[in-house]
Amino acid sequence: NGVVQWIHIDLTEGVTYENAPARGPNSSWACLFYPFSCGPVPAGTAMRVHGAHSLIAMRIWAEPEHP
């Protein structure tokens, strides 16, 4: 389990670039996958996903949500 990150850029009105995960030609900017380090999670478990970034790094983590 994890989160996939990609970009969507509006270059000008009606002109965009996006490297969303899909079949087809490869982009020069690959999507990034951030796996969760919480280990196996039973199906149906509600998870809280957190994220933080600086100018040079991104951090994503998840933990089971407690009622």
Side-chain angles (χ1 to χ4, degrees):
N1 296 324
V3 171
V4 175
Q5 174 193 0
W6 66 87
I7 62 170
H8 175 99
I9 302 171
D10 292 317
L11 300 168
T12 186
E13 189 171 332
V15 179
T16 61
Y17 173 81
E18 183 174 20
N19 69 332
R23 294 181 185 259
N26 292 333
S27 166
S28 58
W29 292 324
C31 296
L32 299 175
F33 178 69
Y34 298 91
F36 298 147
S37 61
C38 56
V41 177
T45 302
M47 300 291 290
R48 183 173 297 260
V49 178
H50 307 270
H53 68 89
S54 67
L55 293 176
I56 59 171
M58 185 163 171
R59 182 172 173 242
I60 296 179
W61 68 98
E63 58 194 13
E65 202 167 276
H66 300 287

